[in-house]
């Protein structure tokens, strides 16, 4: 068995609402694979299908080599799941939560305490092990939820919006944990609505919108789809003639001024550079710097989905937890 | 299945233990369990003409019923509400193991509560316990069927008060129609028929028999079978309802 996860035509209806629309993809072992999409795109539903919390309306998911519908328990032994909303037992201590997770996953009695201690140290909460989880901060709870998902040393970790709603520091800590785990060989499947997070964390990204995968590639690959948008940031020295003629040069599509810097969008790069050199010489201008502006993943996202990047900055309203998974039909 | 049956039972027990640790000794649960039955007991035995001895089995059954249904409501619905139920669903355990855990917890809690009420009262009032094992069995099966009823109400509820309300639909008729305070023989035949549909009737009857009541061993065994069947039926329906919700 090669792949860690394989989704084949996965589809999920909630009553009449089509939440996941015939999606297929594969995740390789050792990869960090991300679902990037706005609120309501179907990310959480996809995770629920992949982790066996729900049955698909049609299609199938093979996770860690097992069909999630036919052999869910075998698959579940090999995966860890970190839900969107941290779901530890507030009434129990950090330590008791981890021990219960170990019991539930069949970690041998002798190994439970050791695993719990290691994980608490890994997430930097060993000192707080006796605290009731209800008294920990949001960021700490999220870290502890990750630890609980790792108690049985799963080979695949699923994280639903791992940094959503966290402060900058906590979010950075979580991203660090994810990188470290992946470095140790854990396959990671995560969802996010932060474009930058997907860019920095994922080896491959699937952009999901209204239940469908609209693009699937490495971040660089997605960016390279934004063709015809090569841009240069150019600065000129104080001497020489006016630079107004810049916009009229051959191959220039658009010019905007960012402070003292001109951002010039061009068509043919070689042609433009030639024209620029002639223009500078002709007007006695000194080019002090010239930088290529790479298209960002945000540019790519906008181009591919047609959505405004603002859509992605809309934070979800806090979920009514009672709804999670129990309000179908 | 790759996981041995004993491992399932063990995990169910861990779930039960966790429930006890997290939820049981919260004050509202114990209050709910004791307040209502004891007020009725006092009302009937002090104000009324009834001998407290004769209603001790009824009181015990009611405390078990109210106690277990209350904690099951919390232990199932609160888990759904806070999202921790998801934690159980993604773990390598089946829905039946989860339900078994919930039921085991209720069984132990209800039995402890029942014994804590029944034995001291019997001693204080001078009730002759014909057979302690029979009394314990009756209390255990009453706890089991009450837990199953609590899980059933909880499977359909989104938040704790809703589960309590659903449970009340069943608890209140049972309080008055199951022979807990008013003996079945004194009821008109139509009500007796209704009483025979209520699981609590069998709890009360079995406890009466084991503490000096006149009826026979056959009746006692039939009561036990009835309680076991009710438990099974409630659990099956609850399991079906929960399964449907996660599909
Ligand atoms: N339990 C549910 N019952 C009915 N509709 C749901 C349920 N959960 C999600 N949905 C709907 O399915 C779609 C996808 O939701 P979700 O998977 O939560 O998206 P995301 O995680 O990307 O925000 C949305 O339209 C949402 O309203
Ligand atoms: Mg979501």
């Amino acid at each position: 068995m090669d792949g860690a996860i394989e989704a084949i035509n996965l589809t999920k209806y909630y009553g009449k609402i089509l939440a996941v629309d015939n999606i297929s993809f594969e995740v390789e072992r050792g990869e960090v694979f991300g679902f990037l999409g706005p609120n309501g795109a179907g990310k959480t539903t996809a995770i629920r299908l992949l982790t066996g919390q729900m049955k698909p309306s049609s299609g199938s998911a093979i996770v860690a080599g097992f069909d999630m519908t036919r052999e869910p328990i075998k698959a579940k032994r090999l995966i860890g799941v970190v839900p969107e909303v941290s779901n530890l037992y507030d009434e129990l201590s950090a330590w008791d939560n981890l021990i219960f997770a170990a019991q539930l996953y069949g970690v041998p009695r002798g190994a439970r305490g050791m695993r719990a201690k290691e994980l608490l140290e890994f997430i930097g909460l060993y000192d707080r092990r006796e605290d009731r989880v209800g008294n920990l901060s949001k960021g700490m709870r999220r870290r502890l939820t990750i630890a609980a998902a790792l108690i049985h040393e799963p080979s695949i970790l699923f994280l639903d919006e791992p940094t959503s709603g966290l402060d900058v520091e906590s979010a950075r800590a979580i991203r660090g944990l994810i990188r470290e785990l992946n470095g140790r060989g854990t396959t990671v499947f995560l969802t996010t609505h932060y474009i930058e997070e997907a860019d920095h964390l994922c080896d491959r990204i699937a952009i999901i919108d209204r239940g469908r995968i609209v693009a699937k590639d490495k971040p660089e690959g997605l960016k390279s789809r934004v063709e015809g948008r090569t841009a240069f940031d150019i600065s000129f020295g104080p001497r020489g003639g006016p630079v107004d003629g810049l916009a009229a040069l051959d191959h220039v599509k658009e010019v905007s001024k960012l402070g003292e810097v001109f951002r010039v969008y061009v068509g043919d790069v070689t042609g433009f550079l030639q024209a620029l050199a002639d223009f500078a010489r002709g007007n006695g201008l000194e080019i002090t710097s010239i930088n290529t502006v790479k298209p960002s993943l945000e540019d790519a996202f906008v181009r591919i989905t047609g959505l405004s990047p603002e859509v992605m900055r809309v934070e979800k309203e806090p979920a009514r937890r009672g709804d999670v998974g129990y309000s179908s039909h | 299945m790759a996981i041995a049956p004993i491992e399932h039972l063990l995990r169910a027990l861990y779930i039960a233990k966790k429930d006890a640790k997290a939820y049981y000794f919260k004050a509202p649960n114990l209050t709910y369990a004791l307040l209502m039955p004891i007020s009725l007991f006092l009302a009937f035995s002090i104000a009324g003409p009834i001998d407290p001895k004769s209603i001790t089995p009824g009181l015990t059954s009611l405390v078990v019923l109210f106690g277990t249904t209350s904690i099951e409501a919390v232990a199932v619905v609160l888990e759904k509400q806070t999202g921790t139920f998801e934690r159980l669903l993604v773990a390598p355990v089946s829905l039946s193991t989860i339900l078994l855990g919930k039921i085991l917890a209720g069984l132990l809690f209800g039995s402890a509560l029942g014994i804590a009420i029944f034995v001291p009262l019997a001693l204080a009032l001078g009730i002759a316990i014909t057979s302690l094992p029979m009394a314990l069995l009756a209390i255990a099966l009453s706890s089991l069927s009450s837990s199953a009823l609590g899980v059933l109400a909880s499977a359909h509820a989104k938040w704790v008060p809703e589960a309590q309300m659903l449970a009340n639909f069943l608890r209140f008729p049972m309080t008055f129609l199951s022979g807990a305070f008013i003996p079945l023989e004194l009821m008109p035949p139509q009500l007796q028929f209704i009483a025979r549909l209520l699981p609590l009737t069998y709890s009360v009857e079995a406890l009466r028999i084991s503490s000096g009541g006149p009826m026979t061993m056959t009746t006692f065994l039939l009561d036990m079978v009835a309680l076991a069947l009710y438990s099974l039926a409630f659990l099956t329906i609850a399991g079906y309802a929960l399964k449907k919700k996660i599909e």
Side-chain angles (χ1 to χ4, degrees), chain A residues 38-45 48 84 160-161 191 193 316:
Chain A
N39 274 322
K43 303 182 296 296
T44 298
T45 306
R48 289 207 184 120
E84 200 170 358
D160 195 4
E161 309 235 16
T191 74
H193 69 277
K316 193 169 185 169

Side-chain angles (χ1 to χ4, degrees), chain A residues 14 17-19 37-46 48 54 84 160-161 316 323-329:
Chain A
Y14 293 110
I17 301 171
L18 179 54
N39 274 322
K43 303 182 296 296
T44 298
T45 306
R48 289 207 184 120
M54 267 181 186
E84 200 170 358
D160 195 4
E161 309 235 16
K316 193 169 185 169
D323 286 357
V324 179
Y326 297 94
S327 54
S328 50
H329 45 250

